[in-house]
Amino acid sequence: MVGGQILFHGRDLLKLSREEMRRVRGRDIAMIFQDPLSALNPVLRIGYQVDEAMHAHDKVPRNQVAARSVHLLDTVRVPDASRRVRDYPHQFSGGMRQRAMIAMGLANRPELLIADEPTTALDVTVQAQILELLREMNRETGTSIILITHNLGVVAGLCSRVIVMYAGEIVEEGPIEQIFENPQHPYTWALLRSIPRIDFARHDRLRSIEGLPPDLIALPRGCKFHPRCPFRVERCLTDEPSLQTVKGGQRAACWVTMKRAYEEMGAADIIDTRPGAASGVHPPGFTLPPFGAADGGGPTGPSEVAAP
Amino acid sequence: MTSSVLPVSEPAATDAPLLRVIDVVKHFSAGVGATVKAVDGVSFDIRPGETVGLVGESGCGKSTLGRLITRLLPVTSGQILFDGVDLTALRGEHLRQQRKQLQIIFQDPFASLDPRMTIGDIIGEPLVNFGLAGRHEKDRRVQELLRVVGLNPYFNNRYPHEFSGGQRQRIGIARALALRPKLIVCDEPVSALDVSIQAQIVNLLEDLQAEFHLTYLFIAHDLSVVRHISDRVLVMYLGKLVEIAPSDVLYQSQQHPYTRALLSAIPVPDPRVESQRRLIHLSGEIPSPLHPPSGCRFHPRCPIAEAPGICSQVEPPMEQKAPGRFAACHFSDRVVTEVG
């Protein structure tokens, strides 16, 4: 860590010694990972691994640990938990492994649970069960959750607040209703329009975000999103915007914001999402990326086009 | 099986089907006496120019089906008629010639490109294999294909590692297009890509379809993407199709309880919709294809099954329930009102 602070109950976690941090990790702050198969030890029984989380902190009395493991697995709906604590990870399905990992995370009743793409590797029906479990936990034990995900549907279903990151920085944050209905950063706006929705009767063409996520070794100057932004202005190429409050609780790091993009740049009608399309601002030497099949009239096969 | 019971979107469709899959079965041996019934009697048609989506959860057999259609795997039984020719009966040179018409795009854009070949050789290899282009002609066609998929035509001397996931998927698409196929099987083509890139590839596939009159079988587990791109959607469960429906009516009404449960589980990126959404719970896990349940395979998890009864005893046939709508369920008329 190069700089900054991470305050947990007012205490800077970055100033803790290794041993002090060990006592916080898994006890007050727990984490669950995307891939439960590689996060579980394949040669240890599930029950042992859940027990271990509690033995490491002695928050739960030793003689109650084994019973609590069964109870935890039961809570996360591992069927026949009292027998299956003796199973190894390979005997569990993907959804059950993820549930076992959540049981480990919950073992010491943490105040904060960091869930890193907890459902990305799972089927939608299993994902729905896991999300319901997290929602219940949050409601019943008051555990705070940081959910890290790329799935905006999952965010809409589980979270109350959302932070949108791009190229290592927060570009927008706020209450979910505001972010989903009135995003102010063009990246958030574009992301929401680039995904098809199952509940929409008819789909328009998806609004793709042109270009690629930036190379973190050679980040662009100014706003990191400007090389892909249809609404960029001159200033975006040189000056980096900071997070500014746009509306109660909602902050965005953008010189333009979607309010102005709608009022002055016709964001509502924009079809061409290529960089700089709405504002006409291109950096020196910039050429529009090839647009493939869109140009050239009529149906032509590759070999026909190749002919002179 | 006669053609009249095959699920086609409109019974009166004038176009002859481009692809006709008839009662296809694929069993894998799993040790002594054990058989995994990965695909167990699947029938459907695809008409020219159509995009048909194939959805289902992990292990339901959808990728296996894609590989059977492209003859990357041999079938155990059944027929695959492509343009009237039974691919399952073809061997050697006859099969090779038919394969020109039938290409596949794979899920993993990292594993599906040879890291030691240049982009030009990867895209041009099919042309060379079929003797369709000499060296000079190959370069010209490769550059044209790169332009068509939205890449710089002068990248043909570069290697796969120099490209991002989305760019590699474009390379995979260019390779599939090289022989000007009629049908492309897209096996999870956007699942491995960043969300912001998925839309680029979906749009590209739509553009290419319009330009080259392509027909797609689009296999994915993400029903939102499948429904967006497809004209019709096939829903698969444990080696069998359970429902076939036009994609624009699928979300409103379902003829099979599994389809309804699957749809109810999909999160919608809208907090207001999400606060209203009700999940339909399925009990238990997907059974092992080693020992599929008796009768309807879905009955142990089905909220409206009559079991013990007809659902655990009689396997429901795939039947037309309404114009263009097919389902394999004894109680399809009760799905919308009683499930969830």
Side-chain angles (χ1 to χ4, degrees):
Chain A
M1 188 86 66
V2 176
Q5 286 183 307
I6 299 173
L7 302 177
F8 182 71
H9 282 307
R11 189 161 68 135
D12 190 351
L13 295 181
L14 301 182
K15 294 215 173 76
L16 298 187
S17 71
R18 201 179 264 251
E19 178 53 29
E20 285 169 322
M21 189 60 212
R22 196 193 65 78
R23 268 179 261 146
V24 173
R25 200 185 290 127
R27 183 182 199 268
D28 303 321
I29 304 178
M31 182 151 181
I32 55 180
F33 300 93
Q34 169 169 2
D35 180 0
L37 191 56
S38 56
L40 293 170
N41 188 329
V43 299
L44 297 177
R45 296 179 198 277
I46 295 282
Y48 181 91
Q49 297 191 53
V50 182
D51 291 354
E52 204 178 25
M54 288 179 272
H55 287 313
H57 295 288
D58 283 326
K59 196 173 174 181
V60 179
R62 292 234 155 200
N63 58 357
Q64 293 172 22
V65 162
R68 181 163 164 81
S69 285
V70 174
H71 171 73
L72 283 165
L73 289 170
D74 203 44
T75 312
V76 297
R77 294 192 209 99
V78 168
D80 203 5
S82 56
R83 193 174 56 82
R84 301 210 68 163
V85 286
R86 300 189 52 79
D87 280 2
Y88 291 94
H90 76 268
Q91 291 166 289
F92 273 35
S93 69
M96 272 164 55
R97 281 184 211 129
Q98 193 57 277
R99 280 176 258 185
M101 198 154 63
I102 293 175
M104 285 166 66
L106 299 181
N108 293 300
R109 299 190 190 88
E111 292 174 78
L112 174 65
L113 183 72
I114 302 174
D116 183 7
E117 302 264 13
T119 60
T120 305
L122 306 175
D123 279 317
V124 280
T125 53
V126 183
Q127 164 173 282
Q129 293 165 4
I130 299 291
L131 292 176
E132 211 163 61
L133 190 65
L134 290 174
R135 200 176 295 127
E136 255 168 44
M137 240 183 57
N138 173 250
R139 211 169 30 221
E140 285 164 18
T141 64
T143 305
S144 307
I145 299 174
I146 298 177
L147 179 79
I148 301 169
T149 181
H150 67 272
N151 187 325
L152 292 163
V154 169
V155 172
L158 187 69
C159 304
S160 49
R161 236 157 37 90
V162 58
I163 292 171
V164 182
M165 285 189 76
Y166 186 80
E169 287 172 358
I170 294 175
V171 294
E172 183 156 16
E173 65 168 302
I176 52 164
E177 292 82 8
Q178 275 168 243
I179 298 289
F180 278 80
E181 273 162 39
N182 213 350
Q184 285 303 311
H185 196 285
Y187 176 62
T188 317
W189 177 84
L191 207 54
L192 284 165
R193 270 148 196 79
S194 70
I195 42 176
R197 282 179 57 159
I198 192 74
D199 61 329
F200 278 10
R202 266 264 161 240
H203 280 295
D204 295 333
R205 189 178 170 82
L206 296 177
R207 300 276 182 269
S208 66
I209 302 177
E210 294 301 320
L212 302 171
D215 179 353
L216 295 178
I217 291 169
L219 285 171
R221 282 188 67 198
C223 172
K224 309 266 189 300
F225 186 59
H226 89 255
R228 303 175 75 189
C229 184
F231 308 112
R232 64 168 168 235
V233 294
E234 298 282 358
R235 192 175 186 183
C236 305
L237 311 187
T238 49
D239 300 349
E240 186 168 357
S242 59
L243 279 175
Q244 302 290 329
T245 299
V246 284
K247 199 176 159 191
Q250 184 178 358
R251 301 194 299 158
C254 179
W255 296 121
V256 179
T257 71
M258 289 312 297
K259 184 173 183 296
R260 190 171 145 204
Y262 273 106
E263 285 166 3
E264 298 171 23
M265 298 175 182
D269 308 314
I270 184 171
I271 290 169
D272 190 348
T273 54
R274 284 180 290 180
S279 59
V281 178
H282 304 298
F286 177 84
T287 50
L288 287 176
F291 222 41
D295 49 23
T300 43
S303 60
E304 288 162 29
V305 182
Chain B
M1 186 170 285
T2 57
S3 61
S4 61
V5 298
L6 274 179
V8 185
S9 65
E10 286 132 33
T14 48
D15 291 333
L18 176 67
L19 181 78
R20 164 154 270 218
V21 173
I22 304 171
D23 208 14
V24 160
V25 173
K26 178 65 188 177
H27 290 177
F28 293 101
S29 155
V32 179
T35 318
V36 175
K37 295 168 179 167
V39 174
D40 207 14
V42 165
S43 301
F44 65 92
D45 278 7
I46 303 181
R47 286 177 295 129
E50 201 181 17
T51 299
V52 171
L54 175 60
V55 293
E57 295 182 276
S58 323
C60 73
K62 56 190 191 300
S63 284
T64 302
L65 186 53
R67 280 166 168 70
L68 292 173
I69 289 168
T70 44
R71 274 292 308 256
L72 292 174
L73 282 173
V75 299
T76 302
S77 68
Q79 284 181 299
I80 297 169
L81 301 180
F82 182 79
D83 249 351
V85 178
D86 187 359
L87 296 181
T88 62
L90 294 181
R91 289 192 203 297
E93 186 58 22
H94 293 292
L95 177 62
R96 204 174 85 91
Q97 289 303 326
Q98 275 298 319
R99 277 201 167 130
K100 275 196 285 193
Q101 310 283 338
L102 243 156
Q103 295 289 315
I104 184 163
I105 302 167
F106 295 99
Q107 169 170 8
D108 185 344
F110 292 85
S112 59
L113 303 178
D114 187 334
R116 292 164 56 104
M117 285 171 76
T118 64
I119 299 313
D121 287 339
I122 289 171
I123 298 171
E125 194 178 28
L127 296 169
V128 175
N129 275 350
F130 283 96
L132 294 176
R135 195 173 157 172
H136 187 64
E137 174 68 5
K138 185 189 100 175
D139 285 350
R140 270 205 318 205
R141 289 229 208 155
V142 165
Q143 293 190 349
E144 180 49 33
L145 285 161
L146 283 170
R147 191 196 65 78
V148 161
V149 297
L151 290 173
N152 186 330
Y154 300 102
F155 283 174
N156 58 345
N157 286 323
R158 300 200 181 186
Y159 287 89
H161 74 265
E162 298 174 70
F163 294 88
S164 67
Q167 289 173 324
R168 287 182 204 216
Q169 206 53 298
R170 288 176 192 263
I171 293 164
I173 293 169
R175 174 175 61 186
L177 285 175
L179 295 171
R180 303 190 60 195
K182 289 183 181 162
L183 176 75
I184 299 183
V185 174
C186 308
D187 187 6
E188 302 265 14
V190 300
S191 310
L193 304 179
D194 194 81
V195 189
S196 74
I197 306 299
Q198 287 190 2
Q200 293 179 9
I201 299 298
V202 168
N203 287 345
L204 173 66
L205 287 171
E206 288 182 333
D207 290 343
L208 293 173
Q209 179 166 46
E211 190 171 349
F212 301 120
H213 308 292
L214 296 168
T215 306
Y216 291 140
L217 176 64
F218 194 95
I219 304 171
H221 66 276
D222 184 340
L223 199 39
S224 312
V225 174
V226 169
R227 213 190 62 130
H228 171 82
I229 200 168
S230 306
D231 301 308
R232 286 189 301 144
V233 177
L234 318 176
V235 183
M236 200 166 175
Y237 183 79
L238 214 59
K240 283 194 173 286
L241 292 184
V242 295
E243 180 159 2
I244 301 177
S247 58
D248 47 0
V249 300
L250 192 65
Y251 193 74
Q252 278 68 43
S253 74
Q254 303 80 27
Q255 304 281 338
H256 196 285
Y258 178 65
T259 313
R260 191 160 169 84
L262 199 59
L263 282 162
S264 85
I266 298 170
V268 176
D270 183 335
R272 280 175 214 277
V273 175
E274 276 298 285
S275 64
Q276 308 284 321
R277 186 165 64 87
R278 283 204 26 239
L279 174 67
I280 296 165
H281 282 276
L282 294 180
S283 50
E285 311 252 338
I286 298 181
S288 159
L290 271 169
H291 308 286
S294 62
C296 172
R297 290 172 182 215
F298 187 60
H299 88 258
R301 307 178 72 198
C302 180
I304 59 167
E306 266 185 24
I310 185 170
C311 296
S312 60
Q313 286 157 10
V314 182
E315 182 163 347
M318 178 65 88
E319 288 172 337
Q320 178 149 341
K321 305 286 182 182
R325 311 209 51 180
F326 295 79
C329 177
H330 294 300
F331 299 106
S332 60
D333 51 327
R334 288 170 32 190
V335 168
V336 170
T337 47
E338 293 181 31
V339 178

